[in-house]
């Protein structure tokens, strides 16, 4: 009898554990009270479209409860996926993973306009990278490592992404011009973006070639299509 009860309890525990680990792309009661909203429901990408191209078939698909950029898809266009809405002050959280050597990014403050041919021309990019297997040019530049503000600044000692094909947790907070990035719970970038110091910082990088880069504190969120496989899930945002 005791053996049956033990087996039953273990079975219940196993089922509960499975339930707990598979409930992605949902909000808890507390999160709802705090004002969080999902940007991805696990089923479709109706909250998103291709930058400057609108809603059309692309390399972005929904698979295994995640938004997947699949470069092997034979139909559809390449392009970054941008949010339908614009956001100003916010707390953004998301999970991501890349294939071996994978490279991608999440942009904020993106201005969608035909005069801009890419999201990086205006938006700030949180780099997503398989550091260990990246191209040499990325491995030798800490501003290219996962969690950094790409090509600008990063806390290299805190850039510790999980191995490729494993999920990472990231967070981006923007509040009154101050932007902070986190990767797996560690701060990887933080700076005021509305000061002369910021302008001087950008002027000392290759991003100076894009006159409107980093000049906005409001815009769209974008997921980068870098022709590498990348997945996103649990994308949620709270306005501040």
């Amino acid at each position: 009898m005791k053996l049956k009860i033990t087996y039953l309890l273990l079975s219940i525990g196993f089922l509960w554990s499975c339930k707990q680990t598979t409930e992605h792309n949902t909000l808890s009661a507390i999160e709802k009270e705090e004002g969080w909203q999902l940007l991805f429901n696990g089923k479709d990408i109706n909250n998103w479209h291709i930058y400057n191209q609108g809603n059309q078939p692309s390399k972005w698909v929904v698979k295994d409860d995640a938004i997947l950029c699949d470069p092997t898809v034979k139909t559809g266009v390449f392009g970054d996926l941008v949010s339908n809405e614009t956001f100003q002050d916010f707390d953004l959280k998301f999970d991501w993973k890349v294939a071996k050597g994978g490279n991608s990014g999440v942009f904020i403050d993106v201005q969608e306009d035909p005069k801009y041919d890419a999201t990086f021309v205006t938006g700030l990019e949180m780099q997503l990278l398989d550091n260990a297997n990246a191209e040499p040019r990325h491995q030798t530049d800490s501003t290219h490592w996962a969690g950094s503000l790409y090509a600008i600044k990063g806390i290299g000692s805190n850039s510790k992404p999980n191995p490729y094909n494993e999920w990472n947790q990231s967070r981006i907070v923007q509040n009154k011009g101050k932007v902070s990035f986190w990767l797996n719970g560690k701060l990887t970038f933080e700076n005021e973006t509305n000061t002369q110091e910021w302008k001087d910082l950008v002027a000392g990088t290759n991003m100076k070639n894009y006159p409107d880069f980093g000049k906005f504190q409001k815009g769209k969120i974008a997921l980068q299509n870098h022709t590498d496989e990348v997945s996103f899930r649990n994308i949620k945002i709270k306005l501040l």
Side-chain angles (χ1 to χ4, degrees):
M1 184 67 176
K2 290 183 178 180
L3 183 61
K4 289 183 177 180
I5 293 175
T6 300
Y7 178 77
L8 178 62
L9 291 175
L10 288 173
S11 298
I12 292 173
F14 175 77
L15 292 173
W16 176 251
S17 176
C18 291
K19 182 180 179 182
Q20 289 293 94
T21 58
T22 56
E23 287 187 349
H24 299 295
N25 309 305
T26 61
L27 295 175
S28 67
I30 293 178
E31 287 176 321
K32 291 177 181 178
E33 289 181 8
E34 292 177 343
W36 289 91
Q37 58 178 302
L38 288 174
L39 294 183
F40 172 55
N41 60 12
K43 301 176 182 178
D44 57 59
I45 50 177
N46 291 343
N47 289 328
W48 304 80
H49 63 274
I50 301 300
Y51 181 74
N52 275 344
Q53 298 185 66
N55 294 310
Q56 59 176 301
S58 71
K59 306 301 180 183
W60 296 95
V61 297
V62 176
K63 182 179 180 181
D64 298 330
D65 299 322
I67 298 177
L68 167 67
C69 179
D70 185 354
T72 67
V73 171
K74 295 181 180 180
T75 59
V77 299
F78 278 100
D80 291 354
L81 200 63
V82 297
S83 61
N84 293 341
E85 295 184 61
T86 60
F87 302 95
Q88 188 165 4
D89 295 332
F90 56 83
D91 190 344
L92 172 70
K93 296 180 180 180
F94 56 94
D95 298 345
W96 62 274
K97 66 177 181 178
V98 293
K100 186 175 182 179
N103 183 347
S104 184
V106 170
F107 296 84
I108 63 171
D109 302 330
V110 171
Q111 307 302 301
E112 189 171 25
D113 190 299
K115 69 181 180 180
Y116 301 124
D117 60 3
T119 56
F120 66 79
V121 172
T122 56
L124 306 182
E125 178 188 359
M126 180 181 190
Q127 169 78 324
L128 310 182
L129 189 74
D130 172 20
N131 286 0
N133 299 286
E135 298 174 50
R137 67 187 180 93
H138 295 314
Q139 291 186 349
T140 57
D141 187 342
S142 63
T143 68
H144 290 200
W145 296 353
S148 65
L149 173 57
Y150 182 76
I152 301 293
K153 186 179 180 182
I155 303 173
S157 59
N158 285 345
S159 177
K160 297 180 179 179
N162 293 325
Y164 65 89
N165 289 332
E166 292 188 14
W167 288 101
N168 297 272
Q169 294 182 328
S170 284
R171 181 184 182 195
I172 298 176
V173 177
Q174 177 169 261
N175 194 10
K176 297 180 175 60
K178 184 178 182 179
V179 177
S180 307
F181 292 172
W182 280 268
L183 172 61
N184 295 327
K186 294 186 177 182
L187 185 70
T188 50
F189 164 78
E190 187 167 72
N191 220 95
E192 300 284 346
T193 62
N194 53 5
T195 64
Q196 185 59 46
E197 178 187 356
W198 167 253
K199 294 178 181 178
D200 294 340
L201 177 63
V202 173
T205 72
N206 288 336
M207 301 311 292
K208 66 184 179 183
N209 297 319
Y210 307 101
D212 287 341
F213 170 80
K215 288 188 175 181
F216 305 92
Q217 280 84 53
K218 180 179 181 179
K220 297 186 176 183
I221 295 167
L223 313 180
Q224 187 181 49
N225 181 329
H226 204 280
T227 71
D228 293 328
E229 183 178 308
V230 59
S231 298
F232 297 91
R233 71 183 184 192
N234 297 327
I235 309 172
K236 59 189 73 173
I237 195 167
K238 179 176 70 172
L239 302 182
L240 302 177

